[in-house]
Amino acid sequence: MRAAQLTGDFGLDELKIREAAERPLAPGEIRIRVEAVSLNYRDLLVVKGLYARKLPFPLTICSDCAGIVTETGEGVTRVKAGERVSPCFMPGWLTGAVTEAAARGALGAFADGVLAETIAMPETGVVAAPAHLTAEEAATLPCAAVTVWHALVVRCGLQPGDTVLTIGTGGVSLFAVQIASMLGARVVVLSSSDAKLERARALGATEGINYVTTPDWDGELKKRGIAPDHVVEVGGTATLAKSIKSARMGGNLALIGNVSGGGETNVIPAFMKNLTLHGVFVGSREMFEALNAAVSAHGMRPVVDRVFPFEEIAAALRHLESGAFGKVVVRVS
Ligand SMILES: NC(=O)c1ccc[n+]([C@@H]2O[C@H](COP(=O)([O-])OP(=O)(O)OC[C@H]3O[C@@H](n4cnc5c(N)ncnc54)[C@H](OP(=O)(O)O)[C@@H]3O)[C@@H](O)[C@H]2O)c1
């Protein structure tokens, strides 16, 4: 079988599709024929060597996929051959608080990932894909969508009628728009593009602000009388100060990403406003299952920006880097 791997060095040009051996299944494991893989900003960082400087090479990249179970090892009872499943981002985090071992087992960094024709997983580390979704759509859920569910529903305690602010229109942010609006919240989106803001409105966002033409978007929010209950913070150090200023007294900030880099943050308003800052790292299998139940009940469909063939993984990662609207997917089989 073929796998997309880093073998000797970091870099998009170092990424190779190579023949790799299928290992025999251990008891409790299943084999999955990977149909589709979705890309995350993290995959770019991994490939460029910006996620960690030392990773176990050869490394199969990427964390998110959907595929069909083709083989079950001894003692497997949770899944059957023929079912479409997705591995959890951290297959070892089933419920409760995350452990260091489970975090280290996150796919596509210190542990092998999923951009391969077949993968072997513990049966406990996968969830059933929502039945109404295509493989490409289901592949988008394990990291970005679970992170948003964990952030907004589990940590921030989102309620219908609440206001959510989300930054950008990438994978995480569009799930924030879709999940928050599906649960009855009002969603404000920031983007560098007016056209993307329009498209975000069509997905359920109630308001949009262009952060390039309106760099003082925190002031603009104030002018519009909006003080978000919850901020989905993917901008990081260059947007955090404004997010803190924007949030309502006693509000929540979910610290998720750092796409903006740079910048300094005045933390004083964070405590003067009694804010709660939640560090969020994806989520557990229990959260993934709760997300999937909601996605199925509401018939929600993730936004797939573009699908690339397996052989064009480097082009797919470059497309992600250029600012996709929603998720970039690679079709494997
Ligand atoms: N903690 C976790 O568990 C977790 C999980 C998933 C992702 N993440 C992190 O979350 C971040 C977003 O991930 P993603 O997969 O959604 O990335 P993505 O799909 O590449 O989207 C990034 C978006 O951020 C916006 N953006 C870029 N530069 C910006 C700036 N200077 N100020 C404000 N917005 C900016 C852009 O939106 P516009 O084009 O609309 O301007 C861009 O499309 C990354 O840092 C990633 O590592 C963390």
Side-chain angles (χ1 to χ4, degrees):
M1 66 99 182
R2 295 178 309 156
Q5 294 186 332
L6 289 169
T7 55
D9 205 353
F10 293 105
L12 279 170
D13 296 331
E14 298 296 324
L15 207 45
K16 302 276 182 307
I17 295 184
R18 308 167 72 220
E19 275 302 317
E22 268 185 356
R23 62 176 174 79
L25 295 183
E29 284 192 328
I30 58 172
R31 194 165 331 271
I32 301 168
R33 176 174 59 77
V34 177
E35 299 173 282
V37 168
S38 90
L39 305 183
N40 291 292
Y41 190 81
R42 168 181 180 264
D43 303 321
L44 258 178
L45 299 178
V46 166
V47 170
K48 289 181 168 183
L50 301 173
Y51 190 78
R53 272 318 291 177
K54 279 196 180 158
L55 289 173
F57 285 176
L59 175 75
T60 301
I61 62 163
C62 294
S63 58
D64 291 13
C65 77
I68 303 292
V69 177
T70 55
E71 199 186 332
T72 54
E74 194 190 318
V76 167
T77 53
R78 278 187 78 240
V79 293
K80 293 191 186 65
E83 289 178 353
R84 178 176 283 152
V85 295
S86 285
C88 300
F89 179 89
M90 288 173 249
W93 186 12
L94 305 186
T95 184
V98 70
T99 62
E100 271 183 40
R104 198 142 180 105
L107 301 174
F110 295 99
D112 260 333
V114 299
L115 188 42
E117 286 170 328
T118 67
I119 53 172
M121 284 286 144
E123 64 155 344
T124 49
V126 305
V127 301
H132 69 292
L133 299 183
T134 63
E136 285 89 347
E137 291 168 333
T140 66
L141 299 171
C143 177
V146 173
T147 300
V148 170
W149 184 268
H150 179 188
L152 286 178
V153 177
V154 179
R155 302 288 287 283
C156 298
L158 180 82
Q159 295 295 319
D162 284 357
T163 299
V164 172
L165 170 67
T166 190
I167 298 171
T169 56
V172 170
S173 303
L174 287 192
F175 277 122
V177 171
Q178 290 185 290
I179 291 170
S181 58
M182 169 174 107
L183 300 178
R186 174 187 185 201
V187 191
V188 185
V189 183
L190 303 181
S191 176
S192 56
S193 150
D194 289 342
K196 288 181 176 179
L197 288 175
E198 265 319 302
R199 293 174 73 187
R201 278 195 196 91
L203 285 172
T206 32
E207 313 232 8
I209 301 175
N210 185 318
Y211 63 78
V212 175
T213 55
T214 311
D216 64 333
W217 46 265
D218 49 326
E220 178 63 23
L221 282 169
K222 203 168 179 190
K223 232 187 272 172
R224 296 188 195 183
I226 300 169
D229 299 288
H230 318 291
V231 182
V232 177
E233 229 312 331
V234 299
T237 44
T239 53
L240 185 56
K242 289 179 184 177
S243 293
I244 289 173
K245 274 173 82 182
S246 305
R248 74 153 162 82
M249 295 288 286
N252 291 290
L253 262 73
L255 303 182
I256 290 175
N258 193 28
V259 289
S260 66
E264 281 184 8
T265 302
N266 177 5
V267 296
I268 295 171
F271 56 78
M272 297 296 283
K273 292 172 83 172
N274 277 305
L275 298 183
T276 305
L277 275 60
H278 306 272
V280 177
F281 187 31
V282 196
S284 64
R285 187 183 83 192
E286 185 181 28
M287 295 172 200
F288 198 172
E289 286 171 335
L291 162 79
N292 279 354
V295 164
S296 299
H298 291 265
M300 193 266 256
R301 304 199 87 101
V303 179
V304 175
D305 176 273
R306 198 165 148 192
V307 181
F308 289 76
F310 189 17
E311 295 70 24
E312 293 178 21
I313 172 61
L317 283 163
R318 285 193 182 95
H319 180 67
L320 174 75
E321 195 169 25
S322 73
F325 184 85
K327 297 297 293 182
V328 179
V329 174
V330 173
R331 181 80 202 181
V332 178
S333 67

